[in-house]
Amino acid sequence: MKPTIRYAAAALMLTSPILATAPAAAQDREDAAWKWLDQAMAPTLNQDQRAKLIWAAYNNAAGSLCNEVTVDDAKLGALLAGLLPAAGDKATPEQKHHLEGSLLMHLGAATGIFAAENADNLTEFCTEAATMRDAPEGNSLFLPGEEPEPEKK
């Protein structure tokens, strides 16, 4: 059985507890949304590329919804550029244009799914995002956090 994009994204996010807390009816809708997105991306992106795009969308959603984190546009751009055909590829300009449009549409859809999934638990979602930002692995697409101001005596 082929793993779905949700499980690939979950592996990248180190199995976020937030994704598993939705009520059953909401979980069914969320699962359906992720399944639709995976099917929509499959013609243009392989499993690894889809997981990277979902990771970008998680960071994008957190950067949009949370005051605690800010997406580093250069990192996001580099990740998305890595999903496009290389300069030496034999893709036509039309194919490249189609893929660019598809990437943006899929990024927006995945960002929206993350936003909908986490609208009722922003405190936890944003805390998790800030924790990822500050993790020593540095695998988020966020700008570094600000150093706390030293206390004045």
Side-chain angles (χ1 to χ4, degrees), residues 4-61:
T4 66
I5 194 70
R6 175 171 214 147
Y7 299 113
L12 282 173
M13 291 187 302
L14 305 173
T15 60
S16 165
I18 292 173
L19 295 177
T21 60
Q27 190 67 46
D28 289 343
R29 287 189 302 273
E30 292 166 8
D31 289 345
W34 286 115
K35 183 177 180 182
W36 166 83
L37 182 60
D38 189 53
Q39 291 171 345
M41 291 190 297
T44 53
L45 300 172
N46 65 37
Q47 188 69 33
D48 181 57
Q49 290 171 315
R50 294 193 303 262
K52 288 177 182 177
L53 189 128
I54 296 302
W55 177 242
Y58 170 85
N59 283 263
N60 194 42

Side-chain angles (χ1 to χ4, degrees), residues 67 100 119 153:
N67 293 328
E100 289 170 359
K153 295 182 184 182

Side-chain angles (χ1 to χ4, degrees), residues 53-102:
L53 189 128
I54 296 302
W55 177 242
Y58 170 85
N59 283 263
N60 194 42
S64 297
L65 296 171
C66 305
N67 293 328
E68 298 86 343
V69 295
T70 302
V71 173
D72 183 329
D73 290 335
K75 287 181 182 178
L76 178 61
L79 186 147
L80 295 174
L83 302 177
L84 295 170
D89 283 356
K90 296 181 180 173
T92 67
E94 293 81 13
Q95 290 168 325
K96 288 179 184 179
H97 181 70
H98 171 75
L99 183 55
E100 289 170 359
S102 293

Side-chain angles (χ1 to χ4, degrees), residues 75 132-141:
K75 287 181 182 178
M132 284 186 187
R133 175 200 62 208
D134 298 334
E137 301 85 40
N139 63 356
S140 74
L141 301 179

